[in-house]
Amino acid sequence: MTEELIIAGFGGQGVLSLGKILAYSGIMQNQEVSWMPSYGPEMRGGTANVTVILSDERISSPYLKLFDTAIILNQQSMDKFESSVKPGGVLIYDPNGISIHPKRKDIFIYQIDANNIASDMGNKKVYNMVIMGGYLKAKPVVQLDNVVEGLKKSLPERYYNLIPLNVEAIQKGMENLVTINQELILN
Amino acid sequence: MTEELIIAGFGGQGVLSLGKILAYSGIMQNQEVSWMPSYGPEMRGGTANVTVILSDERISSPYLKLFDTAIILNQQSMDKFESSVKPGGVLIYDPNGISIHPKRKDIFIYQIDANNIASDMGNKKVYNMVIMGGYLKAKPVVQLDNVVEGLKKSLPERYYNLIPLNVEAIQKGMENLVTINQELILN
Amino acid sequence: MAELKLMKGNEALAEAAIRAGVDAYFGYPITPQTEIIEYLMMEQPEKRTGMVVLQAESEVAAINMVYGAAGTGKRVLTSSSSPGMSLKQEGISYMAGAELPAVIVNVVRGGPGLGTIQPSQADYFQSVKGGGHGDYKLYVLAPASVQEMADFVEDAFEIAFKYMAPVLILSDGLIGQMMEKVYLKEQKPRWTEDEIYKMHNNWATFGRKNGRERNIITSLDLKSEKMEARVHRLYKKYAQMEAEDLRFETIQCDDADYVIVAYGSSARIAQKTVDLARAKGIKVGLLRPITLFPFPKKQLMELTKQVKGILSVELNMGQMVEDVRLAVEHKVPVEHFGRTGGIIHTPEEILEALQQKLINN
Amino acid sequence: MAELKLMKGNEALAEAAIRAGVDAYFGYPITPQTEIIEYLMMEQPEKRTGMVVLQAESEVAAINMVYGAAGTGKRVLTSSSSPGMSLKQEGISYMAGAELPAVIVNVVRGGPGLGTIQPSQADYFQSVKGGGHGDYKLYVLAPASVQEMADFVEDAFEIAFKYMAPVLILSDGLIGQMMEKVYLKEQKPRWTEDEIYKMHNNWATFGRKNGRERNIITSLDLKSEKMEARVHRLYKKYAQMEAEDLRFETIQCDDADYVIVAYGSSARIAQKTVDLARAKGIKVGLLRPITLFPFPKKQLMELTKQVKGILSVELNMGQMVEDVRLAVEHKVPVEHFGRTGGIIHTPEEILEALQQKLINN
Amino acid sequence: MAKVIGAIVVNNEKCKGCEVCIPVCGPDVIRMSSEVNLKGYHYAYMETPQACTGCTNCGIVCPDGAITVYRMKVED
Amino acid sequence: MAKVIGAIVVNNEKCKGCEVCIPVCGPDVIRMSSEVNLKGYHYAYMETPQACTGCTNCGIVCPDGAITVYRMKVED
Amino acid sequence: MDIKDIIKPENLVYKNTELMTDNTLSYCPGCGHGTAHNVVMGVIEELGISEDTIGVAPVGCSVLAYEFMDVDMQQAAHGRAPAVATAIARTWPDKYVFTYQGDGDLAAIGTAETIHACNRGENIVIIFVNNGIYGMTGGQMAPTTLPNMPSSTSPYGRDTATTGFPLKITELVANLPGVYSASRHAVHTHKHVRKAKKAIEKAFKDTRLKKGLSIIEIVSNCNSGWKMTPCQSNQWMEENMFPFYELGDIKVNGKLVNK
Amino acid sequence: MDIKDIIKPENLVYKNTELMTDNTLSYCPGCGHGTAHNVVMGVIEELGISEDTIGVAPVGCSVLAYEFMDVDMQQAAHGRAPAVATAIARTWPDKYVFTYQGDGDLAAIGTAETIHACNRGENIVIIFVNNGIYGMTGGQMAPTTLPNMPSSTSPYGRDTATTGFPLKITELVANLPGVYSASRHAVHTHKHVRKAKKAIEKAFKDTRLKKGLSIIEIVSNCNSGWKMTPCQSNQWMEENMFPFYELGDIKVNGKLVNK
Ligand SMILES: Cc1ncc(C[n+]2csc(CCOP(=O)(O)OP(=O)(O)O)c2C)c(N)n1
Ligand SMILES: Cc1ncc(C[n+]2csc(CCOP(=O)(O)OP(=O)(O)O)c2C)c(N)n1
Ligand code: SF4
Ligand code: SF4
Ligand code: SF4
Ligand code: SF4
Ligand code: SF4
Ligand code: SF4
Ligand SMILES: [Mg+2]
Ligand SMILES: [Mg+2]
């Protein structure tokens, strides 16, 4: 199994840490992982994205042009990465702030209204865990208990008390993934 | 005609300016010239030497291993350059401060007691012009009037009044060159 | 026992330095390698091992601090990225001349000038041919994974002290910024002062203990004869490095018709190209120089017996390709493919270039 | 009419700069090139032409002063020697990236480190391969006489402004310190402010006159695509330099069985070797690259049809020899002979080396 | 008696929602929108426009030059 | 009464004939030789040895460490 | 009264200077760099000298100043702006030349260039934005970082025992005869902005009069580096930075101000 | 009384310190560098710390100090001795570390390293030999060159209008909290030598006590660069250098001396 994933959005949306938790989760199930951020001045309030690869084999290139899955959290990222999903791949996006929705017919497309779900949960910080839930619903590449282990690895111990909240967010995400395009037209 | 010459002595003996006046004299008679000093920390009271080439043709290497003529003004320089005179060449030295006199039999050797001559003239600064005189006696590579022109070129105008004194020193030098070895044993 | 972590290349290098018992780090922030000093400061190595970590006022100061501490027999590390490396060139040349062991890390970004902060390999020439003045070379290690970012720290110090010479770890923004699994070695103790007194008594300047003659660190020889002898001594070491400490890796070269030569991040990306090519039935192999100096010249020459062409893949306008050409003595076609300015080539692009430049040509 | 003088190479260069109408010089003393700034200061060029001459606080400051004034459309000069050149590498890389015209002089001494103050050619790699970070090249002129020290100043500025790029004059302690006859050109006027306004209105930063859009000097492109385009633009210029502005000289190559390749002071010395060899009946020629980049590749390749071997003679451990090998694609044996550490090879030594390495072999 | 009234125009796309215009506004006119602009920022607007005196403080401190201020005298 | 007398030894080969030892010598003991040493310098010597008090001033200021000073008390 | 009736050209009382371009500032929301830009450009606009002004901005968050300031600009290497500006001012003695530098830039890597431009009394204006941190590279300790202040390279607070005390470089260079005026300001409130503008205006005028170098320090926030909201950071600045970096004149017309 | 009766081991009252090697000094006749070397080494001998002392000499006439000073020595790049010494002192906190620097080195190219070592309060001793000129390279103007003083790069005398005023760097760095003591001395007479020795001795002792940095400036001659005989140069120094570079304490035990 190899999953090549890009997560792209604004700086403050927890894109990098979502990727990191995913990578740690992969490690927990003995996979090879790589996490490759775009870094730079864009971090200053601009866009941020990270390429995460989980694989049962040694990972060669951590930098990719095409992805199995793209998680897209703002319009700029949509403009940039819609076309980077491999035919037959998966695109998951948060419709908030998206004005031009994805149009491709050769990929699976899902929406996750993570902004509102997180608001409803009363904690904006779990936003990225809601996304994680949606993603795992669409692509169960890591098991939930490995995600919990991954969370433990990436959080300082003093935040362990927040893990149940995060798990709840993941579950909310799983429950609220909306399918937009499921019939593939491949040509 | 090509004359390849090294002048070597202490920093304060006017070695570099002797070379420069010679080079200028060469220019005055339409020759090609080069003047290549050894520079560096030795200048600080240590030894100084300069390679001067006068030639009717374009000069290739300004840096040489062997010389037609060596003018040697202290013991260190004697140690270093006695062996660098081409067989059949000329070595001129000031015996003051020389403890080990040159021994080669395959070159012409002359002494010039410039130190005392200059002292006698009451002006230590003409030391190098006495040497010049000795040299021109042994090797009349440049004509005296060209030397005078050369002096003019290398002196600021306010020092032109010193030219007669310099000419006198050159003449004293010419008069006082002592031949040490004139019968060459070349093998 | 080795500890498994998920870390950035920069962090792994920093942690490995602490664990290797490195004595001191001096550096100045610059993207994309600032995590090295940040990680060190966060870890309080002065408490963990007594390691000294100091943020210098500039790269120039930092490299001269390295000079100073290295001259006392300590194990000293510094890191920077391209513009900062240019500023360090005088100091590096001094260290090469004074025969000081130390490890210098360059996490390369795109130049020239301020350029971009994205990954690049355009400092190959500077690293391998000598960006500083004078006749000298650096032993250059090019890590291609986070694991190697960690492992090469100790390796580099070993080489540095074996040869009494500065060693360069030439990484880039991609390897420095990416996270991977890394197995970290156990903590080694720093050398004690007594160990240093014993091991380095014949050259290091820690005070002339017990009435020994004074030791001197210098790169100056006003007598040219002595200076030439010094340079010849250096070049003897470089020859020995070539004989004893060359490192490289070959991947699927055995049956290859074409070989890609690539190091560091390019090697990672090109490795995927090998897979893509083989999936298409094109027999491509990869030779990854792990040391850029010494360079796997013989191994490349050996390959000329078998391959139809070589592609040097670099994140630059063509630098290592010269060394590849010199190595194979123009016996087979050698082409270059590279992106620059911070753009990273994709595995697909590389394959396309290989086909265009070597096969359909 | 040209004026005849006896001058040191350094002095001739300084005088030529005044006469060429250069606007400014910024530099820091270092042997063996300090005569340049000393001569300028003595001549009071601010009175002769209005030229600005400033002793900077360091080489780093000096090169950045050059950057600043060059960015306004002025003709700016700086000079240094090896250790100082290493310090200038960041600034040079910035100028290459920002496409600034300026002339930089390196009167090379022996390295690495503090080394020696005697002549050397061990900065070839730094000059030609890029001592600074990133993908760039310098147009490099290598004078071999005092006359060329003078003449190349104007030539260098012409190239610098033709290509909007920094140009390096790579001299050495021998050429800088020796005196020869030199014919000096007549005084040219400095560009008037109005001329600068007109000529450089589309890029230089002298204030956005008459409401034109602002001009910007920068080497930064945070977008990698733009940065790559910038680098490609630079490399187009370098290709044009190769096509249009290569310079070299051949001496007795027509019937040569062996060719010496040598530049600068080595070429002068090797010229005598040619005479010595021919006196012995060995047909030796000399190819002197006047530009080190661009390098006379085709001319060398052409020679392979005729010669039995090539000797690259350099005051270093073997640097230009790599470019010679790349140029002739290993078609004939290419050997290197060089002295280092400030030692200067004699014509006799070179001949001996040629015989040993290429003939009796 | 003449009274001074003011108004500000916020360039929503320039505004980065930093809120530094709020504390310098004496009459506390400004609030952040719940909407976000294309860059994802909540932008400033006049919550109590009638209170604005056109003092320009907000404009002066806005780092992003997003505020233009108008002022006129009206007779009481 | 006890009187102090001194003497200096100049290392002729170390001496560079700089003369800076002369002005610090109260009794004006030191002069330069007319001979030169191997490096070509006229070296210092005691011209009036009987005047030396062994005050060490000359030794202290000699840049080249060429002077060693001796002193002893003698009964008047 | 309807708002539309107020928003009319004739009622315009404040808009940002024309000398700021339309490009979106690259700064974090609430960063004082933006205001400092506006202030400097405002002065240049008011003096009507934009056609004779050349600005130099080295590396730091304001590296892209040339995208925002609508005058001729040079981007300089980290720390070297005073050298760059020196050369421009020397070769174009009738122009207005200013640098816009951060504290890491001016007081760390650029110390030598700063001191010597000041000592030579170059006719340039230095705008020195002191936010006590390396903003651009992500919040590392600067020479100006306050004692015990955390940063990414002093995560447990600046330890003065190992890193020394914050460097008051403006006070330091004020001792040099080449410095004609030196003062410290802030730009987070309209009142501070007004004072800063006055000082900057005087500095540019003195440059024309060849009085020597003027340095205007602007104590500013770096909310990202300090890990605060913009408003918190401004308050923290008042409470912590200002007591250490006292606002006001340090040297006026060649004379040190006694404190 | 015969001289031979005086010249006996038991009557020896002065010989140069054992910590100076037998190598012939590379300095010009009469150059104060030699005396300064003797003085520094004399102090180290008297303190008995030669086995725990590391010296750093950068490029300048004293580049070969390692040939003369019989302690472990590092030759440093031009201007960088304070950085080199910082690292030695940090990694060997119980050693005595000193630099021996010229004025071109310390106050021009090395300004940043000087200021920051001082500001951090490194436990090192800086011996700063100020001869107002670049001796080594043949007498160019230094930041410390006096107004109107000729040098090879100011052949008509230093023009303060274009090159600024001489930089009193010792006074400047004395302002920094990291500097524990700063004083200015000379070594051309026995009296001056005695004072200088005291100051240097105290500096080394304070280093052991981790008090921070001490800087000892020695105003010295460069007869070659100044183009005078040694004795003339010493007199010129007294008449011209001392009035500008006043001898005496500048900062004592962390407190600036009021003048
Ligand atoms: C030679 C060099 N070293 C380091 C850097 C990395 N760098 C860029 S900006 C900066 C510090 C910026 O801090 P400051 O000057 O205070 O500006 P701020 O961003 O805080 O406004 C550093 C270290 C660089 N670009 N070049
Ligand atoms: C990077 C570099 N730049 C310049 C030089 C040349 N250089 C050597 S010493 C020196 C100045 C010496 O002056 P100072 O520090 O005052 O020492 P002094 O010789 O007067 O004692 C210079 C410019 C150098 N060696 N290295
Ligand atoms: S102009 Fe004054 S009153 Fe009106 S919103 Fe702005 S700050 Fe408030
Ligand atoms: S100060 Fe400007 S950018 Fe900040 S919230 Fe107010 S209008 Fe928006
Ligand atoms: S010891 Fe004193 S009295 Fe004797 S020679 Fe020396 S200075 Fe003169
Ligand atoms: S001071 Fe020393 S070197 Fe100078 S003359 Fe006297 S003894 Fe000789
Ligand atoms: S990092 Fe700090 S200084 Fe830089 S833009 Fe953000 S807030 Fe401003
Ligand atoms: S040049 Fe000056 S400083 Fe150097 S040794 Fe000679 S007198 Fe001393
Ligand atoms: Mg800052
Ligand atoms: Mg000096």
Side-chain angles (χ1 to χ4, degrees), chain B residues 4 20 23-24 27 30-37 39-42 58-65, chain D residues 4 6 8 31-32 117-119 173-174 177-181 249 268-269 271-272 344-348:
Chain B
E4 297 176 334
K20 191 170 164 186
Y24 255 125
I27 292 183
N30 281 320
Q31 287 179 300
E32 298 299 317
V33 303
S34 80
W35 175 97
M36 176 69 217
Y39 57 90
E42 308 99 78
R58 176 176 165 185
I59 293 165
S60 53
S61 178
Y63 178 80
L64 302 165
K65 195 177 155 192
Chain D
L4 174 62
L6 178 72
K8 282 195 177 191
T31 309
I117 54 180
Q118 301 302 317
L174 193 145
Q177 292 295 324
M178 77 186 287
M179 286 204 200
E180 288 187 312
K181 273 161 68 163
E249 182 189 12
R268 285 295 290 272
I269 296 164
Q271 203 178 320
K272 180 136 191 162
I344 304 168
H345 32 227
T346 60
E348 291 81 2

Side-chain angles (χ1 to χ4, degrees), chain A residues 65, chain C residues 252 257-258 271-284 347-356 359-360:
Chain A
K65 194 176 153 191
Chain C
Q252 305 199 50
D257 291 329
Y258 300 94
Q271 203 178 321
K272 179 136 192 163
T273 305
V274 172
D275 295 340
L276 295 177
R278 294 211 169 236
K280 280 198 175 187
I282 311 169
K283 285 197 220 151
V284 176
E348 291 81 2
E349 262 181 327
I350 297 173
L351 180 55
E352 209 173 297
L354 184 124
Q355 285 177 300
Q356 259 182 32
I359 306 182
N360 313 336

Side-chain angles (χ1 to χ4, degrees), chain D residues 288-323:
Chain D
R288 171 167 83 95
I290 297 175
T291 52
L292 301 181
F293 177 83
F295 195 71
K297 292 192 247 177
K298 280 188 210 137
Q299 291 68 25
L300 276 164
M301 183 55 106
E302 199 58 34
L303 282 172
T304 60
K305 294 181 190 152
Q306 152 199 342
V307 303
K308 298 184 197 144
I310 297 177
L311 187 69
S312 184
V313 173
E314 315 164 46
L315 289 171
N316 60 39
M317 292 296 285
Q319 301 192 9
M320 180 177 66
V321 61
E322 291 195 1
D323 280 335

Side-chain angles (χ1 to χ4, degrees), chain H residues 74-231:
Chain H
Q74 293 198 14
Q75 194 286 309
H78 189 32
R80 318 306 174 190
V84 171
T86 291
I88 303 173
R90 293 266 174 157
T91 50
W92 294 92
D94 295 331
K95 307 276 177 183
Y96 297 86
V97 183
F98 74 94
T99 69
Y100 183 102
Q101 305 178 249
D103 47 327
D105 184 87
L106 181 141
I109 191 170
T111 308
E113 288 75 12
T114 302
I115 299 264
H116 285 279
C118 287
N119 193 55
R120 288 187 304 258
E122 299 295 342
N123 290 302
I124 61 174
V125 176
I126 293 183
I127 308 290
F128 166 35
V129 178
N130 177 5
N131 54 18
I133 209 158
Y134 289 14
M136 171 113 214
T137 38
Q140 295 76 28
M141 193 187 76
T144 47
T145 300
L146 294 180
N148 302 316
M149 178 175 165
S151 76
S152 72
T153 51
S154 59
Y156 308 98
R158 177 178 187 160
D159 177 3
T160 54
T162 56
T163 65
F165 280 86
L167 185 58
K168 294 189 182 179
I169 188 116
T170 307
E171 273 86 351
L172 199 69
V173 298
N175 289 305
L176 301 171
V179 173
Y180 186 63
S181 290
S183 56
R184 191 179 282 120
H185 299 271
V187 295
H188 64 305
T189 77
H190 45 288
K191 284 183 198 152
H192 288 97
V193 164
R194 288 201 187 96
K195 279 193 198 156
K197 273 187 119 166
K198 253 194 210 147
I200 295 170
E201 189 180 321
K202 178 171 183 314
F204 275 101
K205 284 182 177 163
D206 288 339
T207 273
R208 171 60 120 229
L209 301 171
K210 307 268 174 274
K211 297 283 190 185
L213 190 143
S214 294
I215 178 166
I216 315 285
E217 175 172 338
I218 296 173
V219 179
S220 189
N221 63 347
C222 171
N223 35 292
S224 293
W226 300 356
K227 303 196 188 307
M228 299 175 191
T229 68
C231 289

